[in-house]
Amino acid sequence: THDFLCLHAISSLIVADIGEKMKEGKLTNFQLCGMETGSLPLMSGIQMIFAANKIGVNAFSIRKKRKSYGLFNFIEGTPTDAPVIFVDDLVNSGSSILRAAATCFYELRLPFAGYIYCILNINKKGNKTLNYHKNKSLEIVSLFNIDDFDFSFDASKYWEPKDIDLSENKRPDYK
């Protein structure tokens, strides 16, 4: 989503879906929330599309861990009391969204709009919802699902350098 034309197209599709939900009365007031860093360009793109239509949308992000300097922020931006729509570039197990949801639900006491918007849903089980608390769930609205693509791996199609030693890991910090 770092290509501005791609970001504009993706953000426009998400804004169109949110607009449809607003017309149907499923959404009224809302704000965007995402985990750093994959959600940040997407949230900005969505905000810019809404701003171009004279609609202000609040957004904030939740850090994976508290900053170790400055104000030691855990949340970037200022959440309002509006229901939260979660945004991320992709949803796999949903653990990053669940962390964001837990922060919003338990610490910030924010209501949820009921939706997660993402570009790609990688969940192999094809789940279209993510449970966050007892019997409460969020609907995953994705532009693409992993099954939309053929990701079979054929090693003969990929170049691999012959002059590197793959027998041992040279990065001690990588396990």
Side-chain angles (χ1 to χ4, degrees), residues 78-144:
T78 307
T80 66
D81 59 354
V84 174
I85 292 177
F86 295 96
V87 176
D88 211 346
D89 55 349
L90 58 90
V91 172
N92 189 1
S93 67
S95 62
S96 63
I97 292 291
L98 288 174
R99 263 193 311 243
T103 301
C104 291
F105 189 77
Y106 295 110
E107 295 181 38
L108 300 175
R109 303 283 186 210
L110 295 175
F112 295 163
Y115 302 100
I116 301 166
Y117 279 90
C118 66
I119 301 168
L120 179 63
N121 184 355
I122 299 181
N123 191 306
K124 292 281 188 186
K125 296 176 185 169
N127 290 346
K128 301 284 186 201
T129 60
L130 189 62
N131 297 327
Y132 66 91
H133 180 73
K134 295 182 184 171
N135 62 350
K136 296 182 181 180
S137 63
L138 300 166
E139 179 184 340
I140 300 171
V141 182
S142 61
L143 300 180
F144 302 101

Side-chain angles (χ1 to χ4, degrees), residues 1 71 76 82 96 147 150 160-161:
T1 57
L71 297 175
E76 298 292 341
S96 63
D147 298 333
D150 177 19
E160 184 177 291

Side-chain angles (χ1 to χ4, degrees), residues 20-48:
E20 285 300 314
K21 286 180 175 42
M22 292 171 76
K23 284 181 191 173
E24 295 168 2
K26 294 179 181 177
L27 279 174
T28 52
N29 189 23
F30 63 90
Q31 61 186 326
L32 305 173
C33 173
M35 289 292 288
E36 66 170 357
T37 58
S39 66
L40 300 181
L42 193 52
M43 284 196 308
S44 297
I46 293 167
Q47 280 185 298
M48 294 305 292

